[in-house]
C-alpha cells in the first residue's frame, strides 16, 4: 500500500483537508503585503533642491528640464547680489542642502532618508536585501525543515516575520531598516516552503492542483488588501507595523496545523503518525477506517518509506542521475526567470503614470483569471505545457514593451498587466509542479533550491532595473529574454498529471523514462540491465 492509498482510506479530500488549506492560506493573505510593500513605503514623490540657508537674502531660482518642471537633482550655484539666472542657463551644482518633497499624499523611506538622485540606488538595494533574506532562508530553512519537521519551521517563521516586520517600523536608520527587511524575507521563505509542502502532502493526487491554486488565491486577495491599507495609512512606519502585527496571530494559529504524516513516518515517529491518522479519519467521518489501522500495518505497508529515512540526501543528489540533472536544471531556469521577471513588473507599478492605488488593484486583480485558467490548464493540458506557455507569453509581452512609445501608457500598462498575469500563472504551476517532480526523500531539498533560484532572480531584478539609466530598453530586453529561456526549458520537463508522488529517486527514474525520446529510452534501459 502506498502512502497515497493510505491517505485515501481516511479520506484525502474531506473536511480536514479543507481546514488545513484554510489554516495555511489565511497567513498567506499577509505575504503579499510584505513582498510588495515597498511599492508604497518607497515611493519617490516630486522633489527639487532645497535652497541654500541664506537664499532668502537674494534672488533664487531652479533650473528646469525639457518638460518645464524643476530639475530634481540640480540647482543653480547661489551667488549673493547676483542677477537671477535664466531657467535653463547658468552654473549648476548638486543639491548640497537636501531636497524639498511633495508629501501631500504620503511619506516614505525615500523622503525620510533622502533616497533620491545619487542615492536612489539605495532604494532598490533595500528591496534586494529583502529578497536576499528569502534567498538565505531557502537555503537554511529547507534543510532544517527536513531535520525538525515542517510545522516547527512554519511557526518559527511566522514569529520571525512578525518580530522583524514590527522592528522595521521603528528603524532609526536605513541600515537598521535593511537588516529588519532581510529578516522579514528570511521568515517569508520559511512560510512559503512549509506551506507548499504541507498543502501537497495532505491532499489526494487529483486535489493537488485545486488546493495549491486555492492557496495562491489567498495571496491574490492579499494584493487587494495592500493598496487599501496604503490608501488609509499614508505614513510608511504605521503601514509597516500594520502588515506585520497579524503574523503574531498566525504564529498562535499555526499550532492547529498538523505535522506532515510523510515526515513523521520517514523520521521514525510512526506511533504519532498513527494517532494523527486516526484523528483525521474521525474528523472526516471515517472513524471505522481509522480504527482498522494498526501500528504493525502502518509499518508494514510503509516499510519502503521508513527504510528511506536511513538514507541521507544532500543537494548533490539533485544531480546524481541524468533525469534528476535535467529536471533540476530546467526547474532552476524556470524558477529564476519567473521570479526575475515577476518582480520587475510587480515593483515597477509606479512607472506607468496612473493612480498608484488603482493600478495595484489591477495588477492584483489579473491574478484571479490567471489562476483560474491555470487550474484548468494544469488539470487538462498538463503541468509542463502550462508552465512553458505561461513563461513564453510573459517573455513576449515584456519584450513588446520595448516597441511601445512611452506616451502610449495605456497600451504599455495592458502589456505589463498581461505579462504579470502570465508570471503569476507560472508561479502557481511551479509550486505544484516542483513538489510533484522531486521524490519525497529530496523534495524539501529540491523545493529549497528552487526557492533559492527564484529569490536570486527577484533579488537581482531591482539591480537590473538600474541599467535603465544607461538606456531605458535594456531592463526589458534582459527580463523578456530570460522569461523566454525559462519557458523553453520547461518543455523538457516530464509530465506529472494524475501521477502519484514519487517516494524514491528510483520511482522518479521509472516514471520519467516514458517521457524520454526513443534513443534516450533505449540507452536508459541498457544501463538498468
Amino acid at each position: 500500500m502506498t502512502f497515497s492509498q493510505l491517505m485515501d482510506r481516511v479520506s484525502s479530500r474531506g473536511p480536514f483537508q479543507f481546514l488545513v488549506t484554510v489554516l495555511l492560506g489565511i497567513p498567506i493573505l499577509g505575504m503579499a503585503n510584505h513582498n510588495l510593500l515597498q511599492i508604497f513605503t518607497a515611493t519617490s514623490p516630486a522633489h527639487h533642491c532645497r535652497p541654500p540657508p541664506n537664499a532668502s537674502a537674494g534672488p533664487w531660482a531652479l533650473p528646469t528640464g525639457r518638460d518645464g518642471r524643476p530639475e530634481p537633482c540640480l540647482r543653480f550655484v547661489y551667488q549673493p547680489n547676483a542677477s537671477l539666472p535664466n531657467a535653463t542657463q547658468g552654473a549648476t551644482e548638486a543639491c548640497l542642502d537636501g531636497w524639498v518633497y511633495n508629501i501631500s499624499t504620503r511619506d516614505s523611506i525615500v523622503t525620510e532618508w533622502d533616497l533620491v538622485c545619487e542615492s536612489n540606488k539605495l532604494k532598490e538595494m533595500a528591496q534586494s536585501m529583502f529578497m536576499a533574506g528569502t534567498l538565505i532562508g531557502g537555503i537554511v530553512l529547507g534543510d532544517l525543515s527536513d531535520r525538525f519537521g515542517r510545522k516547527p519551521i512554519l511557526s518559527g517563521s511566522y514569529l520571525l516575520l512578525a518580530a522583524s516586520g514590527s522592528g522595521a517600523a521603528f528603524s532609526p536608520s536605513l541600515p537598521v531598516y535593511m537588516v529588519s527587511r532581510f529578516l522579514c524575507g528570511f521568515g517569508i521563505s520559511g512560510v512559503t516552503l512549509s506551506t507548499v509542502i504541507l498543502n501537497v502532502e495532505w491532499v489526494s493526487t487529483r486535489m493537488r492542483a485545486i488546493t495549491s491554486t486555492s492557496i495562491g488565491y489567498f495571496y491574490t486577495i492579499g494584493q487587494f488588501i495592500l493598496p487599501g491599507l496604503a490608501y488609509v495609512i499614508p505614513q510608511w512606519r504605521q503601514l509597516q507595523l500594520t502588515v506585520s502585527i497579524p503574523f503574531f496571530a498566525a504564529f498562535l494559529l499555526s499550532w492547529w496545523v498538523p505535522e506532515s504524516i510523510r515526515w513523521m513516518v520517514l523520521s521514525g515517529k510512526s506511533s504519532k503518525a498513527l494517532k494523527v491518522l486516526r484523528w483525521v479519519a474521525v474528523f472526516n467521518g471515517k472513524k471505522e477506517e481509522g480504527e482498522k489501522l494498526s501500528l504493525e500495518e502502518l509499518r508494514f505497508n510503509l516499510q519502503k518509506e521508513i527504510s528511506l529515512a536511513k538514507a541521507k540526501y544532500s543537494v548533490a543528489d539533485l544531480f546524481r542521475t541524468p533525469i534528476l540533472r535535467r529536471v533540476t536544471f530546467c526547474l532552476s531556469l524556470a524558477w529564476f526567470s519567473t521570479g526575475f521577471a515577476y518582480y520587475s513588473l510587480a515593483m515597477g507599478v509606479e512607472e506607468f503614470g496612473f493612480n498608484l492605488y488603482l493600478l495595484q488593484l489591477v495588477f492584483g486583480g489579473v491574478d484571479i483569471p490567471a489562476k483560474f485558467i491555470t487550474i484548468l490548464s494544469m488539470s487538462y493540458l498538463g503541468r509542463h505545457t502550462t508552465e512553458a506557455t505561461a513563461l513564453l507569453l510573459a517573455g513576449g509581452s515584456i519584450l513588446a514593451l520595448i516597441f511601445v512609445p512611452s506616451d502610449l501608457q495605456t497600451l504599455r500598462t495592458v502589456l505589463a498587466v498581461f505579462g504579470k498575469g502570465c508570471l503569476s500563472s507560472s508561479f502557481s504551476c511551479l509550486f505544484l509542479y516542483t513538489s510533484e517532480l522531486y521524490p519525497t526523500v529530496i523534495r524539501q531539498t529540491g523545493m529549497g533550491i528552487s526557492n533559492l533560484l527564484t529569490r536570486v532572480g527577484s533579488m537581482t531584478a531591482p539591480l537590473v532595473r538600474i541599467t535603465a539609466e544607461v538606456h531605458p530598453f535594456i531592463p526589458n530586453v534582459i527580463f523578456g529574454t530570460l522569461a523566454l529561456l525559462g519557458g523553453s526549458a520547461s518543455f523538457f520537463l516530464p509530465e506529472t498529471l494524475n501521477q502519484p508522488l514519487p517516494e524514491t529517486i528510483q520511482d522518479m527514474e521509472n516514471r520519467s523514462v516514458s517521457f524520454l525520446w526513443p534513443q534516450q529510452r533505449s540507452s536508459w534501459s541498457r544501463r538498468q540491465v
Side-chain angles (χ1 to χ4, degrees), residues 151-209:
K151 182 177 176 178
I153 299 303
L154 180 67
S155 300
S157 297
Y158 286 147
L159 185 59
L160 175 62
L161 182 55
S164 58
S166 300
F170 298 97
S171 300
S173 63
L174 182 61
V176 174
Y177 172 81
M178 286 187 175
V179 171
S180 298
R181 288 285 286 166
F182 174 89
L183 294 176
C184 286
F186 193 95
I188 277 183
S189 191
V191 172
T192 302
L193 282 171
S194 299
T195 297
V196 170
I197 296 299
L198 285 170
N199 181 62
V200 167
E201 294 185 347
W202 269 114
V203 298
S204 66
T205 301
R206 291 184 174 274
M207 290 293 291
R208 285 186 218 137

Side-chain angles (χ1 to χ4, degrees), residues 40-45 103 106-113 234 236:
F40 298 101
T41 61
T43 55
S44 299
I103 55 174
R106 65 180 309 108
D107 65 0
S108 67
I109 63 171
V110 172
T111 61
E112 179 152 346
W113 292 311
W236 78 266

